[in-house]
Amino acid sequence: MVLYFLPACTFTKAGCPKPNKTNPIEPVYPISTNGELFPWAQLRLPQSIKPLSYDLTLNPDLDKMTFTGRTVINMSILHSTNRIVFHGANLSITKATFMASDVTVLEYKPRQQLAVNFSEELKAGQYCVLTMEYSANFSNTYDGFYNSSYIDKDGNKRVLAATQFEPLSARKAFPCFDEPAFKATFLIKISRKKTYMTLSNMPKAKSTNLSNGLVQDEFEKTSVNMSTYLVAFIVANFTSITKNVSGTQVSVYSVPEKIGHTEYALTITSKLLEFYNNFFDINYPLKKLDLVAIPDFLAGAMENWGLITFRETTLLVGNESSLLEKQVVASVIAHELAHQWFGNLVTMRWWNDLWLNEGFATYMEYMSLQEVSLPNYSALDKDALSSSHAVSTDVNTTEQVEEMFDSVSYEKGASILLMLNASFPGDQQFRKGIIEYLKQFSGLNTDTDDLWNSLTQTDKPTHHMNVSQMMTSWTSQKGFPLVTVNLMGNQVTLTQEHFLLTSDNTTHTLWNIPVTYVNDSCSLAPECRQVFTLKNKSDTFKLSKNVTWLKLNYKSTGFYIVDYGKDGWSALTEALSKNVSVLTHEDRASLIHNIFALSRLGRVTFRQVLNLQKYFSLETETSPVMEALLQLNNIYRQLEKRQESNLASQVHKLNTNQTWDKEENVSKQELRSALLEMACSLNDENCTHQATSLFKKYKDSNGTIRIPGDLQQTVFTVAGQSDETWDTLFNMYVHATYDSEKRKMLKGLASTQNPQRLVQILSSGLRGSLIQTQELPLIISTMCQSFAGCLFAWDFIQENWDRLIEKFPIGSFAIQTIIKSVTSQSSTQAQLNKVQAFFSGLKERGSQMRSVQEALETIKLNRDWMDRNLPTLRRWL
């Protein structure tokens, strides 16, 4: 089948583009399910019709796990046509009328499209109404309109129904034009039993008693035009706490037993809502904002306009929760609230520009909680692979849509915004630009060029830089630059090239790089920072005086890696050995990340990596230590999977002496937790004794003596190693109510080396019985931290692949996580052959996923690195 794309009407203030004068390739139309020719041959819908409003009536039956619905779509004909093409999936259309006349609805299941043909052409400018009645089963996955359940405090099973529509699942709940650019208003009515309550995007307008004993709740018509993926509704028996914030009714909902864990979320939401109202100079536009903790929810959270849904672990924290646990909740809320402007008010036109939603929300998440720094290392590591993709890239299949939800869209998107902000003179220029962008495109859809053009216009008075020219190099091509420094007295030569771990001599990519730097005479304060824009392959500039060393990428605000050359690395290592505080902790962490990355590239020897580590006995800050632990742990896991157990244990013998006393600083809590986990994993006698003692006190007190939140993972992981305490821990898990604690218990259970118990929790997770299926990615990633566990996980994935992709869509973040977990630390040819053979055999069931290509590329890189450096490792250790 030949696919081609018509020029799209963008529904922006600019209107529709001029018709394409070229002759398109004649499409081959597919056959619909009833045997007729389906009148459309593309993934994306035709642009001839614009939906204006939806009137949705839903009748869920939580006993039969089914629902019926009635959808009325008011639409405008933009271009004359004899067809209406829209979306629907797993819906049984029982009746359809167009302007009060019966019509036949055709279906093409592979693309989840529905269509109505007309013998007479619908004329441009005409307004019309399509009405459909249908029935469906609740989704048995975590998207669409799906059923969920939980066990209440009395041991009774409680059932509820909730929605998750992003990216492509509104069509599973009602027939619709399920693309981001088709914005419309929504009026929603839902029937329920009197023992339930309902929620949707807007406040409830009225409730009506029906003749069948049910109640119908009708919500106000949305006061804004919305994309379908932001529509949401819930049928449950939740309770809430509420507060009025600047005229907006803010509520946090949970199951009744956990209402005591909602106070922190309400407090932080209130502060963040006022902050964003002020920062964006645009008030949140709806009357209410609900945050709802769903017991069975796959994503971390979802930004539905006015009805944000969360995992319980990302919204609910008790009074005794650690600062670290509260920080997680604050970060997720900050991210989802930012979406109410970036994503909801202004929405990307198509999923190729998902980063306009997720990159901005990630950036604002860290900007609004200023004590948290933006991590970009995971995005750098992914983007160094040839299987990576540009921030803004073509998206032509449903699997490719799912795969856009990755660290490139989120962390790289946020990182290039951070880099751009740091490039502006003063701290308000960037803010002015994004306010202008939000106001200009409020209620509309945009692409990446619209953002750069808005920021360029804002910068015009200063003539500082052409934002569009600079930033296009960061969004239109994959990867990032390696900047090499050559320092001779006061003369600096910078050279850029594509940092690509898999050699590809055909790339001649250049970036417009705002290179920041500090030197040995001034290296800590923001005013020490200097900027040089590197646009060419190589360029030279002079310093005001001779310096001993330069440190580029001040505070890691740029999305690039730096090689200082042999002399440059030696000078920096010597400076740190004399005074660890000569650089900021962000700069020290970036040096550690960069030198390990250069080792993978083959640009530095592993001996140079080890030389930098010599200063480590002086290190006291969290971010450099955490980065070093992460890098060394990766080597440890690879050695373990090569069954180099003696070498592996030597890698892990770092300084893991840490106090078990209470720690009040969130950063130090994170560090203490990581170091104690490592110490106990090495069977450090003092560590395991303390952990065992804490677990016994917790067990004997029936949970009334709580383990500090930042120590729980270490304690539960130690408990998971013993058969006796594993059974106790499993029983605790089943009956636990503290959600973050429950998740840590599960990781403890999954860290066992006992084969029978590994099979038990994998099987239970797949069934969704005592362990929710949403936790399978977590279980598998935890198991893969050990050699034996990863073998079991790999076998499980091969045997149950078809059931996994029934639960989690092909290309989804859950599937990406599972694939990465079982492959990322493999480093032998035999392991590569097994992975390649399995995934190539999947064909349309996943073989073409980007995450599969990443996995194969990563194993090859691991293999090559080990082949080069294993002798050095043996000598060093």
Side-chain angles (χ1 to χ4, degrees), residues 17 179 207 209-210 371-372 462 612 646 684 695 808 860 871:
E179 293 180 8
S207 295
N209 291 318
L210 303 177
E371 72 275 13
V372 184
T462 66
L612 181 64
N646 290 335
D684 177 88
F695 185 75
F808 312 119
K860 290 174 186 173

Side-chain angles (χ1 to χ4, degrees), residues 516-773:
T516 57
Y517 61 92
V518 293
N519 60 54
D520 58 307
S521 63
C522 186
S523 59
L524 297 173
E527 52 268 25
C528 296
R529 186 196 71 143
Q530 303 291 312
V531 183
F532 178 81
T533 303
L534 179 62
K535 299 179 182 179
N536 302 315
K537 174 74 174 172
S538 185
D539 212 339
T540 300
F541 63 94
K542 288 193 174 183
L543 305 171
S544 59
K545 60 179 180 179
N546 289 1
V547 298
T548 307
W549 52 260
L550 283 180
K551 165 64 178 69
L552 271 60
N553 199 3
Y554 175 68
K555 284 196 169 184
S556 200
T557 54
F559 198 75
Y560 53 92
I561 281 175
V562 184
D563 184 5
Y564 298 91
K566 190 173 182 180
D567 292 341
W569 282 111
S570 296
L572 286 165
T573 301
E574 185 179 349
L576 286 171
S577 299
K578 290 177 180 176
N579 176 14
V580 72
S581 299
V582 74
L583 292 173
T584 67
H585 67 88
E586 297 96 336
D587 281 321
R588 302 198 300 271
S590 76
L591 286 177
I592 293 165
H593 174 270
N594 283 195
I595 201 163
F596 273 99
L598 290 165
S599 171
R600 280 178 70 74
L601 188 64
R603 285 295 183 92
V604 302
T605 66
F606 197 62
R607 176 63 58 192
Q608 288 175 269
V609 176
L610 300 177
N611 285 341
L612 181 64
Q613 304 300 305
K614 287 177 182 176
Y615 96 90
F616 234 60
S617 59
L618 307 171
E619 187 57 77
T620 58
E621 292 292 333
T622 299
S623 58
V625 176
M626 292 292 286
E627 181 58 29
L629 288 181
L630 183 72
Q631 297 291 348
L632 290 170
N633 195 52
N634 187 43
I635 296 171
Y636 167 78
R637 298 295 175 205
Q638 290 182 45
L639 288 170
E640 189 188 37
K641 287 177 177 57
R642 282 177 165 247
Q643 296 179 285
E644 297 267 5
S645 53
N646 290 335
L647 275 182
S649 62
Q650 292 295 326
V651 169
H652 247 181
K653 285 183 180 176
L654 297 175
N655 178 15
T656 54
N657 296 324
Q658 272 292 305
T659 176
W660 288 74
D661 298 331
K662 189 170 183 180
E663 180 61 71
E664 298 293 347
N665 177 286
V666 65
S667 178
K668 298 297 185 188
Q669 279 190 1
E670 183 182 15
L671 178 58
R672 177 175 70 160
S673 177
L675 289 175
L676 288 175
E677 279 186 60
M678 176 180 282
C680 281
S681 73
L682 292 170
N683 297 314
D684 177 88
E685 190 174 336
N686 179 53
C687 186
T688 55
H689 173 75
Q690 292 270 21
T692 303
S693 175
L694 272 176
F695 185 75
K696 186 175 187 305
K697 289 177 185 176
Y698 177 72
K699 179 189 72 171
D700 293 345
S701 72
N702 289 321
T704 56
I705 298 176
R706 294 199 66 237
I707 303 165
D710 62 313
L711 300 181
Q712 285 173 1
Q713 193 58 72
T714 299
V715 172
F716 294 148
T717 299
V718 170
Q721 304 309 305
S722 155
D723 287 353
E724 180 185 348
T725 48
W726 193 95
D727 292 331
T728 304
L729 185 62
F730 188 80
N731 188 53
M732 287 177 175
Y733 172 81
V734 171
H735 296 98
T737 54
Y738 286 91
D739 303 291
S740 59
E741 190 173 73
K742 193 177 178 86
R743 196 165 164 84
K744 292 169 191 166
M745 287 177 178
L746 183 57
K747 287 183 72 175
L749 293 168
S751 66
T752 180
Q753 302 295 295
N754 184 310
Q756 290 175 310
R757 288 180 166 81
L758 289 171
V759 171
Q760 180 182 340
I761 58 172
L762 284 168
S763 302
S764 182
L766 192 61
R767 290 193 307 272
S769 49
L770 294 175
I771 298 173
Q772 294 171 324
T773 303

Side-chain angles (χ1 to χ4, degrees), residues 862-875:
N862 292 346
R863 177 199 63 195
D864 295 346
W865 188 91
M866 278 290 173
D867 288 347
R868 283 199 312 271
N869 293 292
L870 202 52
T872 305
L873 270 172
R874 286 200 174 102
R875 286 195 301 273

Side-chain angles (χ1 to χ4, degrees), residues 769-832:
S769 49
L770 294 175
I771 298 173
Q772 294 171 324
T773 303
Q774 68 180 28
E775 302 293 6
L776 267 177
L778 176 70
I779 292 169
I780 290 169
S781 67
T782 305
M783 286 175 61
C784 282
Q785 289 173 16
S786 75
F787 177 61
C790 209
L791 289 177
F792 272 96
W794 175 237
D795 287 344
F796 171 81
I797 288 164
Q798 292 178 91
E799 290 171 16
N800 296 282
W801 181 257
D802 287 341
R803 292 183 66 184
L804 286 171
I805 59 175
E806 281 176 17
K807 300 287 185 183
F808 312 119
I810 294 174
S812 65
F813 189 72
I815 291 293
Q816 292 177 46
T817 301
I818 288 170
I819 292 172
K820 184 174 181 179
S821 296
V822 295
T823 61
S824 64
Q825 286 148 0
S826 298
S827 63
T828 67
Q829 186 63 42
Q831 290 162 342
L832 175 64

